[in-house]
Amino acid sequence: MSDYSDLDRQIEQLKRCEIIKENEVKALCAKAREILVEEGNVQRVDSPVTVCGDIHGQFYDLKELFKVGGDVPEKNYLFMGDFVDRGYYSVETFLLLLALKVRYPDRITLIRGNHESRQITQVYGFYDECLRKYGSTAVWRYCTEIFDYFSLSAIIDGKIFCVHGGLSPVPSQYLDQIRSIDPQAGGARTTGPCAICFGAIPKDQTGWGVSPRGAGYLFGSDVVSQFNRTNDIDMICRAHQLVMEGFKWHFNETVLTVWSAPNYCYRCGNVAAILELNEYLHRDFVIFEAAPQESRGIPSKKPQADYFL
Amino acid sequence: MAASDKSVDDSLYPIAVLIDELKNEDVQLRLNSIKKLSTIALALGEERTRSELIPFLTETIYDEDEVLLALADQLGNFTSLVGGPEFAMYLIPPLESLATVEETVVRDKAVESLRTVAAEHSAQDLEIHVVPTLQRLVSGDWFTSRTSACGLFSVCYPRVTQPVKAELRANFRKLCQDETPMVRRAAANKLGEFAKVVETEYLKSDLIPNFVQLAQDDQDSVRLLAVEACVSIAQLLPQDDVEHLVLPTLRQCASDSSWRVRYMVAEKFVDLQKAVGPEITRVDLVPAFQYLLKDAEAEVRAAVATKVKDFCANLDKVNQVQIILSSILPYVRDLVSDPNPHVKSALASVIMGLSPMLGAYQTVEQLLPLFLIQLKDECPEVRLNIISNLDCVNDVIGIQQLSQSLLPAIVELAEDSKWRVRLAIIEYMPALAGQLGQEFFDQKLRGLCMGWLNDHVYAIREAATLNMKKLVEQFGAPWAEQAIIPMILVMSRNKNYLHRMTCLFCLNVLAEVCGTDITTKLLLPTVLLLAADPVANVRFNVAKTLQKISPFLEASVIDAQVKPTLDKLNTDTDVDVKHFAAQAIAGIAAA
């Protein structure tokens, strides 16, 4: 029995929304790398599992998610990316999920979203937050290095394909092609192989299109049915887009969007959802709202002085 | 320097580094050094601190705000380091400069330190060193220094001679009439504490006019601070004076054109009430309170709604009930159906508190109908606030009465779409069960309690599990055996693993209250059966449960049944099952 006391303490600390030390982050990321390097680009996941969409640094809403869904390890979770940016607590949110991954590798799966990237985190808050909370960019560097090791997708019981964005023309014909992507190779992330996590959106017509959000593809119903038939899967589960009801079906229930950031950006007024799949892949959605005000910490109104930057 | 000093200076090397760092280009290093200023001063000794360190610091006043803030903070505790109270005046010049800088945080800290240091001066030194500083600040060109001056009056005034006192009052009046709103704001802010140290006759002749003037200021930010001062002033004056000196202004504030001022009156209402006493409350404050309860601005109504209980509680006991019934309740009734959810929620958080004041009869007659409306309110916070405060009504009218009138509403809430409302109901269940008795509970509420075990929200299932334990504590193990355990055991065969997990969680907590016999005969077999569950999460919870219930099992049973199962789980293919099995084996061995 290995000693988890340090890790358990860090998890407890992060659950209180307190950051862990910079050297602890470094060690955590090193351990996470050992685990993640063993996972494929299409990570195999067994049911039962609860599938979650974007979190975006909304730490107290993530805690709410665990309240309505149950804690790790009692429940198994699959998070479909976009853990960071936009919310006030990207650091705590990401480190908590990562610590849980290291502590219970078989109980939680994290796949990559478009915000798990060096470029995007520099624009949408994670970079600044790391700098503000740690006074240097070291933590941001450790975290973004780990991003490269995250699986791009997962497949539950061989039947439900989970990915942050959706399908893209290059690798999506066959799951085997996705398996062979090397995300660390870099390159054009929005058009190249990584496009499945970097912005694909389902569209009303058939065929392919270019996303109006400026990055990634639109994929139509015919693309989905062909993909599902070729790979013998029942449905595609993805996140990436805000849906006010928390989840939304497309293309005759072959594609599902799950969104897990309630009151997105603290102002959208949407509810969030998680998809609970039991051991027979029976689907049950749990809808939840943002954590009530009194259970949230008050974000410090005054950001720390710029002298540290 | 003499040779004998050499060794001393060597030992001072770390200090020299700190002093060097005070001048370093890197802000962070300067900051660190400032934070260790007391160490430096201690090493330098009192004499050199006064003659070298303090003048040096006085020059660094043009540093970054962060450094200045630390400096202002440090200097407040520096008196002993410059040689005690008789040398405290050395600290005044740097603090005076800090009190004039642009950054508010630094200034406030400097004023705070100045107040501390000023209090340490002898009366004579105070007049020689601090009062001139105060007067320089008062006549400063820039509003920052005049703002800082406001904070020094209350520390200086009580300890100076009569002529100086007169000057200070004149100075303060000048600040109250300052052309800059920031200064008037600071004056209004400090008016209350200054009023406390000024003699009553001058309070009436000098400060009250200032107060009246500030309460009529153009800026609402000044007026609302005057409301705060109002409380302090009212506390200082006898009833008669309050009535004709303070009340007219207070009335005017309660109907101020700015909602922020009215909001402040609402916030301070109970303090005001305590300050003015029962008679004025009855005649003047009750109408003002009614006025605020009907305010056009929801923020004001919400603020005053939260004061309903405390205001009523502080009413004169002789006519308390009568005032509540005739003057307050009619307005409260309107607020129950206020269009704004925050107002309704604020009211719901305190309204139950009226029950003990009104007694059983009036609670049933007057309050219960309101509670029923609130329990059905569309806003979940309102429902939640009522449910969470049921106990104070319970004490007054008894559970029988309460449940008869409220039970239908409670049952409805048990299925509320908001899980926090359901949670509040569950938490109320053991109390309700204890008061209603087992028979009534079995009839009306047991079904609900079982239903929550299958709720789709985890937190509810968890609470429902704990609830089971509390119910067994109420009704005893035989009841558990006959009324709930059979139904819980059925869940172990449910096709959905979540129900099997909940079953385990229940067994987990029930063992403790059901005793060895039931645990061995009824609970353990089911736990062991689940050890072969196809879902890993269930299997490792079997391991956890076995560890948890082992204290309630005979050693022979543990050896014959528990250990073999755990040994088997310890060879499971799943890492977590193995981990928790190993933990359980170790835990049981250690027990």
Side-chain angles (χ1 to χ4, degrees), chain B residues 439-452:
Chain B
E439 199 180 325
F440 190 88
F441 177 84
D442 279 345
Q443 267 174 29
K444 306 266 180 178
L445 300 172
R446 195 179 68 192
L448 284 178
C449 291
M450 297 306 295
W452 282 316

Side-chain angles (χ1 to χ4, degrees), chain B residues 73-110:
Chain B
D73 187 30
Q74 291 280 320
L75 289 177
N77 309 312
F78 238 62
T79 306
S80 62
L81 296 165
V82 291
E86 64 265 40
F87 296 103
M89 63 284 246
Y90 281 88
L91 299 173
I92 300 293
L95 283 171
E96 181 180 341
S97 309
L98 287 168
T100 64
V101 301
E102 204 166 342
E103 172 56 46
T104 322
V105 186
V106 177
R107 237 161 45 219
D108 288 349
K109 188 54 88 179

Side-chain angles (χ1 to χ4, degrees), chain B residues 97-289:
Chain B
S97 309
L98 287 168
T100 64
V101 301
E102 204 166 342
E103 172 56 46
T104 322
V105 186
V106 177
R107 237 161 45 219
D108 288 349
K109 188 54 88 179
V111 171
E112 196 185 312
S113 290
L114 268 175
R115 286 161 68 111
T116 315
V117 174
E120 286 162 341
H121 281 69
S122 67
Q124 201 185 0
D125 284 347
L126 190 77
E127 232 166 83
I128 302 173
H129 298 284
V130 185
V131 171
T133 295
L134 168 57
Q135 283 167 337
R136 268 196 303 279
L137 290 171
V138 168
S139 51
D141 283 338
W142 194 233
F143 81 88
T144 51
S145 62
R146 303 201 297 277
T147 306
S148 294
C150 296
L152 297 179
F153 285 89
S154 63
V155 280
C156 294
Y157 191 86
R159 301 172 59 209
V160 294
T161 51
Q162 284 304 332
V164 180
K165 280 186 174 181
E167 276 175 46
L168 289 182
R169 291 195 303 273
N171 285 333
F172 194 80
R173 182 163 55 244
K174 205 172 134 202
L175 294 172
C176 288
Q177 294 161 350
D178 198 281
E179 57 180 10
T180 325
M182 280 79 90
V183 179
R184 297 202 300 276
R185 216 145 49 215
N189 199 2
K190 300 295 178 191
L191 183 61
E193 62 170 46
F194 190 37
K196 283 184 190 148
V197 296
V198 170
E199 300 81 353
T200 313
E201 56 169 315
Y202 296 121
L203 173 62
K204 285 195 238 173
S205 66
D206 287 29
L207 287 195
I208 299 264
N210 292 341
F211 159 67
V212 171
Q213 197 181 16
L214 289 168
Q216 291 170 344
D217 199 281
D218 292 344
Q219 303 275 330
D220 62 355
S221 58
V222 178
R223 296 203 299 276
L224 69 89
L225 289 168
V227 173
E228 283 198 273
C230 189
V231 178
S232 316
I233 293 176
Q235 281 164 346
L236 298 167
L237 294 172
Q239 293 263 318
D240 277 0
D241 291 331
V242 170
E243 203 161 350
H244 65 264
L245 292 175
V246 181
L247 273 182
T249 305
L250 177 63
R251 270 189 223 114
Q252 164 206 319
C253 289
S255 53
D256 196 285
S257 61
S258 158
W259 72 266
R260 298 205 299 157
V261 177
R262 301 196 306 272
Y263 176 87
M264 187 56 102
V265 175
E267 277 288 298
K268 297 283 163 197
F269 216 88
V270 177
D271 296 332
L272 282 168
Q273 180 191 18
K274 286 179 187 159
V276 302
E279 187 52 30
I280 294 181
T281 297
R282 195 174 58 78
V283 180
D284 281 281
L285 291 196
V286 169
F289 197 70

Side-chain angles (χ1 to χ4, degrees), chain B residues 395-417:
Chain B
D395 295 341
V396 179
I397 62 170
I399 195 79
Q400 205 65 34
Q401 178 82 37
L402 183 68
S403 55
Q404 264 170 27
S405 44
L406 298 184
L407 199 62
I410 289 176
V411 171
E412 213 170 291
L413 288 177
E415 276 141 22
D416 198 276
S417 65

Side-chain angles (χ1 to χ4, degrees), chain A residues 24 27 32 36 38 53 94 101 134 140 146 153 161 165 171 185 215 224 254 258:
Chain A
E24 290 173 332
L36 293 170
E38 299 295 323
F94 179 67
K101 174 71 193 173
Y134 285 97
W140 175 78
I146 274 298
S153 64
F161 179 66
V224 170
T254 53
V258 178

Side-chain angles (χ1 to χ4, degrees), chain A residues 180-194:
Chain A
S180 62
I181 298 170
D182 177 10
Q184 278 136 286
R189 292 188 185 281
T190 52
T191 54
C194 288

